[in-house]
């Protein structure tokens, strides 16, 4: 609904400008028509064109109303100012002044004032010249300027995406108002000058007129080119900089004692108190024999998908997805990362959804330097939780995860309460192959048939390792969603034929008992692929991808939690996501903004250990944003003002779809500097990255630097 309205708004923005432009030009042509008959004809045409533009304007207002139904926050921005400051006043002026005159001229070939005495059936002779008085009336600024100013308003609507989102209300009101008034003034001045020339009979010599137009064109073109150049150069990020550049956002609570100033935060030798700690000190246990030991080596390898399509992959241990790591709650885990990638490509490993000590989090430029080829890095941490997790590189993820540097990480609970006969990880991914982009489950890009005996208990761990939102279907069996992002759902109930929606990075455990007939697991992005289980391993079943959407907000049974909507929050962050066409780091694209800014100018969420925080995510843009907070589990409180009513939803990645407002709570119980970013890596690459910083934690690492750290 929101996306449809927003798309309609975009389409209207594209047609509004030409519609008003043509209407304005045609209206402006009237005074040049010297015979009453021609003036009448032209007025009719102008009237029709103005009416079309008015209808389109009305449509924009309707769309604005539709968007406003999602909440004031969704329209109290660029939309408000382009529509109600730039466009609407000019349109009203057009209706009040231009339309009556055009209507009269269309009927009589003269203005309303003159028409009255002659109105009784006797129209002026069509061939008669339009009296000078009439011509000057036709050229009056109040008749010709309103549609021109409306065209400028149309330009505002057309170029809305280029305007900075989420700026302060009063400053925006002032800026949009002043610019519109200035353009209006300029148009009136120009119309007046023309009128004077008509009355005095002194026309500008043709050459001079051409020169003036040419000059104007050169100035406009120069400005555009200059702005573009400035945008390219000005948006370029420095070679090396600290993550901690953004403005500190204390979430309305008291500022910490250590770092009132953003910027000094990155210095290991800070000015803080005795409890100041570097991320280097926030490591897992350095001693002790690990319960599980793994070795993951990043290697380039040409990998074949099931269909035979080839991926020029970057892998852990030569396979895609990387090896599945299985550990047990309470284990001390040691993973040695070695980099054998070609060239100078550095890598890391991030343990997605595991609340590891900050120094083990694997974020290049924040918690470590990325590991260069030939080098290694050892992660050690004790897992104090269980469930479906995954791991992936957190260095230039839009390229590295995309190419295959990821795998499943399963943490078995200490005591398995629901043992399974089959426990299967399904990692949905988009592969860049020699035959284009191919969605697949793991490396399965076509249908695979597997054997499963009736009565067998099956757990499917759906994992979305791609950036885009995925919709899964489980046919044709009743099942339960037993975990969200690896945390058990309380009292799950049986479901059937639902559409299971997972944002990028999300996981969902699904359990069922194998029936006599076949069962199919399908990712909607690859409807012809998937897995079919059947007793003989030859089952045939069509996927039904059109089921109603599964709603995790009302699923399962409620349960008391330490946090809740009525908790006493020390911090309350409000984060609005939007889109902004322009330059970012030297190239042109659709920037993904948080509170109107892109990384590293996005807000730094500041917190103190022990704080209880709430965050409200508002998606004003047109694409899904799966927001992933490292090192913490967020309790999802509700959506669009409605409280979650089912089982508590503890998630590390929260999907916020366009037009949605999602509220989460979390406890600051894991000191560090933690990424909080959109898990659509293309969005994080385009600026949608921020972090949660404990006020006493510092990092010696920087973005860029000798190894080229790229945390996004
Ligand atoms: Cu996003």
């Amino acid at each position: 609904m929101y996306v449809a309205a927003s798309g309609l708004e975009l389409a209207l923005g594209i047609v509004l400008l030409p519609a008003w432009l043509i209407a304005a030009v045609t209206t402006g042509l009237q005074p040049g028509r010297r015979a009453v008959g021609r003036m009448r004809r032209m007025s009719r045409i102008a009237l029709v064109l103005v009416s079309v533009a008015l209808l389109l304007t009305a449509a924009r207002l309707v769309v604005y109303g539709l968007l406003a139904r999602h909440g004031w926050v969704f329209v109290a921005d660029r939309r408000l100012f382009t529509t109600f400051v730039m466009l609407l006043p000019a349109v009203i002026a057009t209706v009040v002044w231009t339309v009556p005159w055009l209507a009269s001229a269309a009927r009589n070939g003269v203005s309303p004032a003159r028409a009255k005495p002659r109105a009784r059936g006797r129209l002026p002779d069509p061939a008669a010249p339009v009296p000078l008085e009439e011509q000057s009336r036709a050229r009056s600024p109040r008749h010709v300027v309103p549609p021109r100013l409306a065209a400028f308003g149309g330009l505002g609507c057309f170029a809305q995406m280029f305007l900075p989102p989420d700026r302060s209300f009063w400053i925006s009101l002032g800026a949009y108002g002043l610019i519109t008034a200035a353009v209006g003034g300029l148009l009136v001045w120009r119309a007046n000058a023309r009128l004077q020339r008509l009355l005095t009979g002194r026309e500008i010599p043709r050459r001079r007129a051409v020169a003036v137009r040419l000059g104007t064109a050169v100035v406009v073109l120069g400005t555009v080119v200059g702005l573009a150049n400035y945008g390219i150069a000005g948006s370029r990020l420095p070679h090396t900089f600290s993550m901690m550049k953004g403005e500190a956002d204390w979430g309305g609570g008291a500022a910490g004692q250590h770092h009132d100033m953003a910027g000094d935060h990155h210095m290991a030798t800070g000015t803080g108190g005795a409890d100041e700690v570097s991320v280097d000190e926030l490591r897992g246990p350095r001693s002790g024999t690990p319960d599980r030991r793994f070795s993951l080596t990043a290697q380039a390898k040409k990998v074949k998908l099931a269909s035979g399509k080839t991926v020029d992959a970057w892998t852990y241990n030569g396979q895609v997805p990387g090896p599945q790591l299985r550990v047990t709650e309470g284990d001390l885990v040691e993973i040695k990362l070695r980099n054998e990638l070609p060239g100078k490509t550095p890598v890391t490993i991030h343990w997605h959804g595991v609340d590891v000590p900050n120094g083990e989090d694997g974020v290049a430029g924040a918690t470590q330097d990325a590991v260069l080829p030939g080098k290694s890095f050892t992660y050690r941490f004790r897992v104090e939780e269980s469930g479906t997790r995954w791991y992936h590189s957190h260095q230039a993820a839009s390229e590295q995860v995309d190419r295959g540097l990821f795998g499943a990480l399963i943490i078995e609970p200490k005591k398995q309460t629901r043992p399974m006969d089959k426990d299967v990880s399904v990692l949905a991914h988009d592969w860049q192959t020699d035959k284009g982009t191919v969605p697949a489950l793991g490396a399965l890009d076509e249908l695979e048939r597997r054997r499963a005996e009736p009565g067998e208990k099956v757990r499917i761990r759906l994992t979305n390792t791609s950036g885009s939102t995925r919709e899964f279907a489980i046919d044709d069996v009743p099942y339960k969603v037993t975990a969200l992002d690896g945390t058990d759902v309380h009292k799950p109930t049986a479901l059937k034929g639902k559409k299971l929606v997972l944002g990028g990075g999300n996981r969902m455990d699904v359990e069922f008992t194998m029936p006599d007939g076949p069962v199919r697991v399908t990712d909607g992005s690859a409807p012809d692929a998937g897995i079919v289980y059947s007793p003989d391993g030859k089952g045939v079943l069509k996927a039904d991808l059109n089921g109603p959407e599964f709603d995790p907000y009302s699923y399962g049974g409620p349960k008391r939690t330490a946090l809740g909507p009525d908790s006493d929050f020390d911090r309350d962050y409000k984060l609005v996501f939007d889109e902004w066409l322009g330059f970012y780091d030297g190239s042109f694209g659709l920037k993904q903004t948080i509170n109107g800014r892109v990384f590293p100018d996005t807000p730094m969420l500041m917190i103190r250990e022990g704080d209880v925080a709430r965050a409200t995510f508002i998606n004003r843009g047109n694409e899904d944003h799966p927001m992933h907070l490292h090192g913490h589990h967020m309790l999802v409180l509700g959506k669009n003002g409605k409280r979650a009513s089912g089982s508590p939803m503890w998630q590390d990645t929260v999907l916020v779809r366009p037009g949605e407002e999602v509220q989460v709570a979390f406890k600051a119980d894991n000191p560090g500097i933690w990424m909080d970013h959109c898990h659509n890596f293309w969005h994080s690459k385009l600026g949608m990255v921020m972090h949660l910083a404990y006020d006493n934690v510092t990092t010696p690492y920087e973005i860029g630097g000798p190894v080229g750290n790229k945390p996004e």
Side-chain angles (χ1 to χ4, degrees):
M1 185 59 211
Y2 181 88
V3 176
S6 185
L8 201 57
E9 181 195 45
L10 203 70
L12 280 170
I14 292 170
V15 291
L16 261 172
L17 171 62
W20 275 112
L21 211 55
I22 295 168
V25 168
T26 324
T27 306
L29 283 177
Q30 300 315 306
R33 306 285 138 181
R34 298 286 157 82
V36 169
R38 290 177 69 191
M39 185 155 166
R40 208 187 291 159
R41 255 198 324 277
M42 281 309 291
S43 299
R44 281 182 198 145
I45 295 172
L47 199 59
V48 169
L49 291 170
V50 168
S51 306
V52 169
L54 284 173
L55 275 175
L56 290 171
T57 306
R60 181 169 174 98
L61 292 179
V62 170
V63 169
Y64 187 90
L66 289 176
L67 290 167
R69 285 175 54 170
H70 291 262
W72 173 239
V73 68
F74 294 100
V75 290
D77 191 39
R78 296 175 292 191
R79 287 184 165 130
L80 177 73
F81 302 111
T82 53
T83 310
F84 290 96
V85 178
M86 292 184 76
L87 182 63
L88 208 59
V91 171
I92 291 172
T94 304
V95 171
V96 170
W97 289 316
T98 311
V99 169
W101 163 68
L102 275 180
S104 166
R107 228 178 303 124
N108 311 313
V110 287
S111 63
R114 298 269 300 185
K116 265 178 198 157
R118 311 179 191 189
R120 296 154 199 234
R122 280 185 297 129
L123 291 173
D125 176 9
V130 179
L132 185 66
E133 198 186 333
E134 276 303 322
Q135 285 188 42
S136 73
R137 197 161 273 151
R139 284 196 183 191
S140 123
R142 81 157 51 170
H143 292 153
V144 294
V145 167
R148 287 175 192 168
L149 192 58
F152 179 69
L155 176 67
C157 298
F158 172 75
Q160 189 169 281
M161 294 293 268
F162 289 92
L163 304 170
D166 222 27
R167 295 303 191 254
S168 116
F169 179 86
W170 293 108
I171 290 177
S172 299
L173 187 66
Y176 283 84
L178 275 177
I179 290 170
T180 308
V183 170
L186 205 70
L187 289 172
V188 168
W189 171 78
R190 194 163 153 264
N192 257 327
R194 285 194 163 184
L195 184 60
Q196 285 314 309
R197 286 202 296 276
L198 173 81
L199 293 176
T200 55
R202 246 187 278 134
E203 287 291 331
I204 301 178
R206 201 167 163 69
R207 264 197 201 161
R208 214 181 108 196
V210 170
V212 166
R213 285 193 180 179
L214 221 62
T216 312
V218 167
V219 167
V220 168
L221 203 70
T223 310
V224 168
V225 171
L227 276 176
N229 266 318
Y230 175 79
I232 292 169
S235 75
R236 212 160 259 148
L237 298 174
H239 177 264
T240 298
F241 62 99
S242 163
M243 279 197 97
M244 324 299 278
K245 270 190 74 181
E247 198 173 321
D249 178 351
W250 291 93
Q257 59 197 29
H258 298 284
H259 301 283
D260 298 326
M261 300 280 293
D264 71 335
H265 209 274
H266 66 284
M267 285 158 37
T269 51
T271 51
D275 61 340
E276 186 154 296
V277 56
S278 159
V279 295
D280 273 342
E281 299 165 57
L282 297 168
R283 300 293 304 266
R286 293 290 94 191
S287 59
T289 313
D291 301 292
R292 298 305 310 269
R293 192 178 258 148
F294 301 98
S295 172
L296 292 176
T297 303
Q299 298 163 323
K301 198 178 171 194
K302 278 211 191 305
V303 180
K304 269 195 180 3
L305 300 182
S307 66
K309 289 176 185 140
T310 315
V311 180
D312 209 352
W314 285 349
T315 71
Y316 289 118
N317 298 2
Q319 59 188 93
V320 295
Q324 185 186 87
L325 311 184
R326 239 172 216 277
V327 302
T328 305
E329 185 183 358
D331 280 356
L332 175 61
V333 184
E334 181 183 294
I335 306 105
K336 185 167 181 187
L337 164 67
R338 253 195 84 72
N339 186 358
E340 290 179 4
L341 286 175
K344 289 184 177 168
T345 313
V347 293
T348 69
I349 306 177
H350 164 63
W351 314 98
H352 187 119
V354 189
D355 297 343
V356 295
N358 192 222
E360 311 290 342
D361 199 41
V363 178
T367 65
Q368 69 173 92
D369 273 330
V371 181
L372 283 168
K375 300 266 189 272
S376 62
F377 188 95
T378 303
Y379 299 92
R380 280 172 69 100
F381 50 88
R382 197 173 286 285
V383 283
E384 313 280 10
E385 53 196 276
S386 66
T388 309
R389 308 287 190 268
W390 63 298
Y391 64 90
H392 61 81
S393 179
H394 222 294
Q395 157 75 17
S398 61
E399 184 183 17
Q400 299 201 352
V401 179
D402 199 53
R403 290 181 77 164
L405 286 170
F406 66 88
L409 168 61
I410 310 299
I411 311 171
E412 298 281 3
K414 263 190 192 127
K415 193 163 162 266
Q416 183 55 270
T417 48
R418 295 188 311 278
M420 293 285 136
D421 299 302
K422 286 193 163 51
D423 189 342
V424 185
S425 282
V426 166
L427 284 71
H429 199 69
D430 289 317
W431 296 105
Q432 311 306 322
T433 73
D434 52 341
K435 306 250 159 57
T437 305
V438 175
L441 300 180
L444 266 186
D445 59 337
E446 38 184 47
L447 196 67
E448 184 169 276
R449 294 189 167 82
R450 295 181 186 170
R451 212 180 273 270
E453 295 302 323
E456 274 192 330
K457 296 207 176 305
V458 182
R459 178 187 293 129
I460 307 283
R461 300 177 189 262
L462 300 172
T463 303
N464 185 357
T465 66
S466 78
S468 55
T469 301
R470 298 302 247 255
E471 297 174 348
F472 293 90
I474 311 287
D475 303 295
D476 188 21
V477 66
Y479 57 86
K480 288 179 181 174
V481 171
T482 52
L484 296 171
D485 276 1
T487 301
D488 278 354
V489 170
H490 184 61
K491 292 192 177 160
T493 50
L495 300 166
K496 206 174 172 192
K498 293 277 188 182
K499 194 190 284 177
L500 305 174
V501 179
L502 273 80
N506 274 141
R507 286 91 59 215
M508 199 182 274
D509 290 9
V510 171
E511 293 176 14
F512 58 86
T513 304
M514 191 61 200
D516 295 334
V519 171
R520 176 168 174 159
V521 179
T522 320
D523 166 11
S525 313
D528 298 325
I531 306 167
V532 177
Y533 289 97
S534 63
D536 61 357
K538 293 175 186 163
V540 176
L541 187 63
K542 231 180 99 62
D544 176 13
L545 297 160
N546 299 313
E549 212 171 287
F550 165 66
D551 176 23
Y553 286 81
S554 60
Y555 181 68
K559 190 177 154 189
R560 273 192 64 84
T561 45
L563 289 177
D566 302 316
S567 292
D568 200 1
F569 295 105
D570 304 295
R571 313 276 163 204
D572 196 358
Y573 309 105
K574 184 181 163 195
L575 302 154
V576 180
F577 310 132
D578 214 327
E579 291 157 4
W580 182 9
L581 261 180
F583 292 95
Y584 184 53
D585 200 11
S587 44
F588 186 79
L590 190 59
K591 294 186 277 188
Q592 302 289 326
T593 63
I594 303 173
N595 292 355
R597 313 282 166 176
V598 282
F599 182 74
D601 300 321
T602 44
M604 282 201 307
L605 308 181
M606 300 302 297
I607 205 158
R608 278 189 287 197
E609 192 171 357
D611 280 352
V612 175
R614 178 168 65 186
T616 307
F617 302 122
I618 297 159
N619 187 351
R620 202 193 269 152
N622 297 297
E623 290 178 59
D624 289 354
H625 298 305
M627 295 307 292
H628 174 43
L629 172 61
H630 290 208
H632 300 74
H633 279 69
M634 301 175 276
L635 177 69
V636 183
L637 299 176
K639 186 165 76 175
N640 300 338
K642 205 175 150 211
R643 285 185 180 185
S645 58
S647 159
M649 293 166 70
W650 288 99
Q651 304 208 254
D652 50 68
T653 308
V654 178
L655 180 60
V656 189
R657 313 197 85 172
E660 285 185 355
E661 178 182 313
V662 177
Q663 217 163 41
V664 302
F666 62 91
K667 173 129 200 207
D669 55 5
N670 194 6
I673 293 164
W674 301 100
M675 288 280 275
D676 190 356
H677 64 102
C678 179
H679 220 277
N680 180 330
F681 294 121
W682 305 104
H683 291 176
S684 49
K685 195 183 159 85
L686 285 162
M688 198 166 271
V689 170
M690 55 184 170
H691 54 271
L692 176 75
Y694 283 62
D695 72 329
N696 64 328
V697 180
T698 62
T699 175
Y701 304 106
E702 289 187 300
I703 292 163
V707 298
N709 289 323
K710 279 189 181 177
E712 90 296 344

